[in-house]
Amino acid sequence: MPSRKYGPSAPAVHHTVRVLAEVGGSLAGQPHDHVAFVDLDLTETPTAGAVLDSCTFRGVRFNASAYSDSAFINCAFVRCSFFDTVFDACKFTGSKFEGCTHDLMRVAGGDWSFTGLSQANLARASFIRVRLRESDLSGARCAGATLRDSDLSGASWEGADLSGADLRGSDLSALDPLSVTLRGARIDQWQAITVAAALGLTVD
């Protein structure tokens, strides 16, 4: 099994929130630092401008919610549900995900660099024009996923399943094609040259 590049450790907790009313019924437009959010239901909750630094989310349901211009920096997500959740121009730098579900999650733009997504099931997720530099995707199940036009430079891919994934337009310079499953994946002609070079082939 691939080792995690970013471990599952959670940030220190200074306050725990179990009822959304404690923070005014919404995360929108509010800063939170070292807060643990536990077993909250944020289903269908639109949120803009939230800023969360070093927070922990355990068993939180983000289902069918839309987030825009929000920041979740160095946060830990444990057993959370992101079914049909939309993140538009959001920042998740340094955040880690463990045991979460990402079915139909859609990410457009934003910065997800240094995120820990090791072993994540992203088969039905979509990332378009996302900065994912040095993210940990080792062992990730991305069969059928969309990872288009994204910056994946320096990403860790060991053991990832990219069968049938749409990778067109993304930076695959850190991808070792011998360490992943690529059957049926969609790439463009420039990526094909990158993959061929990684295999030691000469393209004339």
Side-chain angles (χ1 to χ4, degrees):
M1 179 181 293
S3 59
R4 290 174 180 268
K5 185 176 180 180
Y6 307 114
S9 58
V13 174
H14 298 164
H15 178 63
T16 298
V17 173
R18 297 179 183 274
V19 180
L20 197 56
E22 293 182 36
V23 289
S26 172
L27 300 178
Q30 301 182 58
H32 296 285
D33 185 357
H34 291 280
V35 177
F37 298 90
V38 180
D39 296 329
L40 293 182
D41 188 354
L42 300 178
T43 300
E44 298 184 354
T45 303
T47 297
V51 179
L52 300 106
D53 189 355
S54 303
C55 291
T56 299
F57 296 83
R58 293 185 181 275
V60 176
R61 295 176 293 283
F62 293 86
N63 303 338
S65 299
Y67 292 80
S68 61
D69 299 306
S70 294
F72 297 83
I73 303 168
N74 296 320
C75 292
F77 299 87
V78 182
R79 298 187 301 279
C80 294
S81 176
F82 295 96
F83 175 77
D84 200 26
T85 308
V86 176
F87 294 104
D88 184 14
C90 293
K91 186 173 184 177
F92 276 79
T93 309
S95 290
K96 306 174 184 69
F97 298 80
E98 184 176 8
C100 299
T101 59
H102 304 272
D103 284 353
L104 302 182
M105 184 180 78
R106 287 163 287 166
V107 182
D111 191 347
W112 288 55
S113 298
F114 306 102
T115 49
L117 286 160
S118 178
Q119 311 297 326
N121 187 347
L122 303 174
R124 302 178 68 195
S126 170
F127 292 81
I128 299 177
R129 299 183 306 279
V130 182
R131 186 181 174 92
L132 283 153
R133 301 187 83 174
E134 297 194 45
S135 55
D136 184 4
L137 290 158
S138 57
R141 289 163 284 169
C142 302
T146 298
L147 291 160
R148 291 205 59 177
D149 301 314
S150 295
D151 182 357
L152 286 154
S153 55
S156 297
W157 292 101
E158 183 185 359
D161 184 359
L162 296 166
S163 304
D166 188 349
L167 306 172
R168 291 174 295 172
S170 293
D171 185 334
L172 301 180
S173 57
L175 181 69
D176 177 0
L178 296 178
S179 70
V180 301
T181 302
L182 278 171
R183 184 181 297 276
R186 301 184 68 186
I187 59 176
D188 58 37
Q189 59 180 336
W190 302 111
Q191 292 169 316
I193 295 173
T194 298
V195 171
L199 289 170
L201 302 177
T202 301
V203 180
D204 293 327

